[in-house]
Amino acid sequence: MSIDRGTLSEGSKRFIRGFTYVLGSNLTGLLANSVLIFGLPFVLTTEEYGYWQLYQFFSLYLGYVTFGITDGVLLRYAGSLRRDLRAGSISSQFWILGLLVTPMLGLIAYISSQFETDSVNEVLLWAAALGSMLFIPRTLVTSSAQAANELSRFAMLNSIDRVLACVFTVGLIALGVRELYWLVLADLGAKLIALAVSVVVERSLVFSRWPSFKGVVSETCANVRAGSMVLVANLSVILVPGVARFVVEQYWSIEEFGMVSLAFNVSNMLLVVVMSLSITVFPALRRLDRRRYPTLFEAARSVITPVLFAILLLFYVVAAAVDWLIPDYGPAVLFLSILFPAFVYEARLRVLASNFLKAIRRERTLMWINIASVAAIVPLSWLGASVFHSIELTLATVLLVTAIRCAVSEAVLTRIIGGRWLSWAVIDASMVCVFLVTTIWLPLPLGMLGYGLVCAGYWLGVHRRFADGAAALRSAM
């Protein structure tokens, strides 16, 4: 059924337009990442690919050394108009952030390198630290654009480094350059150019006159106070799979680490559309009356959940492609079957519970839930590796902890704003169990048929709720 754009409210049009910009940006980044994730196994050995994934792993976590400043800017200014952003304050935060993260990243890299026995790992660690020095200040610029709902600008600045990294890497390979260090330099070059472009595009923010020294200190402290809890919460989220990946790297070979990382990367690719929605939802929520949150939450959950379970059917396509194109990475298919369902929980958590908890300023609650998740994954993943010597069990802990974190977050949220969560949690767990059984113990075609039939039955059962939820969301905008 086509949508009559004339009947849409201005808020709906603005939301759809912003979502389209961010989705386009993330899909562009997804395409660039896909070329590298699926293309590099053809030109690198399994060992070299494992090292490349290790560099990406280091870069991911070092990119969170922001002291909460970027999250504070987003949290405090989300929903503002461009003219309401205090350019001088934003400028001061950009340069102070750069001055703070540079020595901190150097210190982290130096201390960590003292425990590395592999010289390649040590070089990759320093390279990741340098890349983060170039990446982190740019996040302040993109956060400011997101807070002001300038999503077209945010979309462009958010994807440029990934596109450039893909272009540079493909160019090197076309010239016959296959050495790992050159590929790392291509990534660093992309980050440097992306930072320069961001500074030029947002020069009115970056180079504005600073407020007084007292004002700068006050602004920095306010951002750190507001953003530190969100930072810890966000870091805890990625530490759940990160701990499992670290355990795999410690207990198994670099080749197996590469295969596990491939499975994680493919699963994370599914979050592209979801993250586009999440980025658009938070500023929109801040503009709405809190009394509408219970209805919005129920409606959004009724729409998003069935879609996520339908997306799980893509697993069978990806599994067939991996088996056919890169058969040496066959074990990654089994790893992927365990990690794919975690996507359902993680996606819904990021779009709904996380955004709603931040919108009602319950960042501390979100932080403690996520910290508890990390505290749980550490002993569980250690048991899977050291006691049972099973990569599969180690990865299963990620699914288990993510499912519990999602259920607890929604339970806490609905207790605050009202609503149900237990029936949804039971249905979710049932669908995930069906998926695991059909993918792990059945041949690929039979598994696809079995899960497809169950998914079709699930849709028949929820289609009215889905339609009502979509209508409620449309009217709410």
Side-chain angles (χ1 to χ4, degrees):
M1 180 178 67
S2 62
I3 296 175
D4 181 6
R5 294 187 64 85
T7 66
L8 292 176
S9 67
E10 185 59 34
S12 296
K13 292 178 182 179
R14 185 167 55 246
F15 183 86
I16 293 172
R17 188 164 53 245
F19 173 69
T20 303
Y21 285 136
V22 179
L23 177 61
S25 165
N26 283 351
L27 287 177
T28 302
L30 171 64
L31 179 61
N33 285 340
S34 299
V35 171
L36 299 180
I37 291 170
F38 293 110
L40 288 180
F42 288 101
V43 297
L44 299 178
T45 66
T46 53
E47 181 182 21
E48 290 171 332
Y49 185 74
Y51 279 124
W52 183 78
Q53 287 284 5
L54 188 61
Y55 165 71
Q56 300 294 332
F57 180 71
F58 289 153
S59 299
L60 173 65
Y61 288 94
L62 290 176
Y64 277 80
V65 185
T66 66
F67 301 96
I69 292 176
T70 56
D71 295 289
V73 168
L74 178 58
L75 196 64
R76 294 175 63 227
Y77 292 104
S80 303
L81 298 175
R82 174 78 176 194
R83 62 176 178 270
D84 296 327
L85 292 178
R86 292 178 288 180
S89 297
I90 300 295
S91 174
S92 69
Q93 298 307 286
F94 176 86
W95 294 104
I96 286 175
L97 182 60
L99 291 173
L100 289 175
V101 301
T102 299
M104 178 58 70
L105 287 168
L107 180 62
I108 292 172
Y110 173 76
I111 294 175
S112 301
S113 65
Q114 302 306 303
F115 299 96
E116 284 290 352
T117 57
D118 188 328
S119 60
V120 178
N121 287 8
E122 186 175 350
V123 172
L124 295 178
L125 180 61
W126 279 102
L130 176 58
S132 297
M133 294 175 193
L134 302 172
F135 167 77
I136 290 174
R138 185 165 61 90
T139 62
L140 193 286
V141 175
T142 56
S143 293
S144 301
Q146 182 186 350
N149 209 35
E150 293 186 331
L151 296 179
S152 59
R153 183 170 296 188
F154 167 84
M156 185 271 289
L157 297 177
N158 189 51
S159 60
I160 186 172
D161 64 325
R162 288 170 288 173
V163 173
L164 288 174
C166 178
V167 171
F168 293 164
T169 302
V170 171
L172 287 172
I173 293 172
L175 293 173
V177 178
R178 309 291 174 89
E179 287 77 10
L180 175 67
Y181 294 137
W182 279 104
L183 302 184
V184 171
L185 286 175
D187 184 74
L188 294 177
K191 285 184 169 69
L192 176 61
I193 295 175
L195 174 61
V197 170
S198 299
V199 169
V200 171
V201 170
E202 292 287 11
R203 56 189 178 277
S204 61
L205 287 180
V206 174
F207 296 110
S208 290
R209 182 185 296 275
W210 291 19
S212 65
F213 176 77
K214 182 179 179 181
V216 171
V217 173
S218 175
E219 178 74 11
T220 304
C221 292
N223 287 328
V224 171
R225 278 196 304 270
S228 57
M229 286 181 287
V230 176
L231 172 65
V232 173
N234 291 340
L235 183 58
S236 301
V237 169
I238 66 166
L239 277 175
V240 171
V243 167
R245 288 177 68 180
F246 177 76
V247 168
V248 171
E249 194 266 337
Q250 293 294 307
Y251 282 86
W252 284 276
S253 67
I254 191 67
E255 290 85 358
E256 287 168 307
F257 174 80
M259 293 182 188
V260 169
S261 296
L262 175 64
F264 271 109
N265 284 333
V266 173
S267 299
N268 289 337
M269 285 164 62
L270 293 176
L271 288 172
V272 167
V273 177
V274 174
M275 287 307 298
S276 305
L277 188 58
S278 179
I279 289 169
T280 314
V281 162
F282 181 58
L285 274 178
R286 290 293 299 272
R287 292 189 174 98
L288 296 176
D289 187 343
R290 180 174 167 175
R291 289 174 295 182
R292 302 169 71 180
Y293 284 4
T295 302
L296 281 174
F297 178 73
E298 288 286 344
R301 186 169 54 182
S302 299
V303 171
I304 290 173
T305 304
V307 173
L308 294 177
F309 281 123
I311 290 176
L312 286 184
L313 287 165
L314 288 176
F315 163 80
Y316 302 97
V317 178
V318 175
V322 171
D323 279 339
W324 180 47
L325 295 174
I326 43 177
D328 289 345
Y329 289 77
V333 173
L334 177 57
F335 305 152
L336 193 59
S337 67
I338 300 170
L339 295 174
F340 240 55
F343 149 78
V344 173
Y345 292 110
E346 188 63 48
R348 203 170 74 194
L349 184 59
R350 293 195 189 194
V351 174
L352 298 180
S354 180
N355 275 323
F356 275 89
L357 285 170
K358 287 189 291 185
I360 62 176
R361 298 308 303 266
R362 293 300 182 99
E363 308 92 55
R364 186 182 298 275
T365 301
L366 184 64
M367 178 187 71
W368 284 114
I369 292 172
N370 292 343
I371 289 176
S373 301
V374 177
I377 195 71
V378 171
L380 289 174
S381 58
W382 177 82
L383 282 173
S386 64
V387 177
F388 296 100
H389 308 290
S390 170
I391 295 181
E392 291 81 4
L393 281 179
T394 304
L395 298 181
T397 61
V398 175
L399 172 58
L400 176 64
V401 171
T402 304
I404 294 174
R405 181 164 58 90
C406 180
V408 171
S409 299
E410 292 189 353
V412 171
L413 177 64
T414 52
R415 183 179 179 85
I416 297 170
I417 67 173
R420 301 170 300 153
W421 69 274
L422 184 58
S423 59
W424 283 95
V426 172
I427 294 172
D428 292 348
S430 301
M431 288 295 293
V432 167
C433 287
V434 170
F435 178 82
L436 291 173
V437 169
T438 55
T439 53
I440 295 176
W441 285 286
L442 292 179
L444 201 60
L446 286 178
M448 182 175 184
L449 177 62
Y451 179 74
L453 290 174
V454 173
C455 191
Y458 170 76
W459 266 86
L460 284 174
V462 302
H463 73 281
R464 288 186 180 177
R465 186 181 293 178
F466 177 89
D468 292 343
L473 288 176
R474 184 180 174 185
S475 63
M477 293 298 175

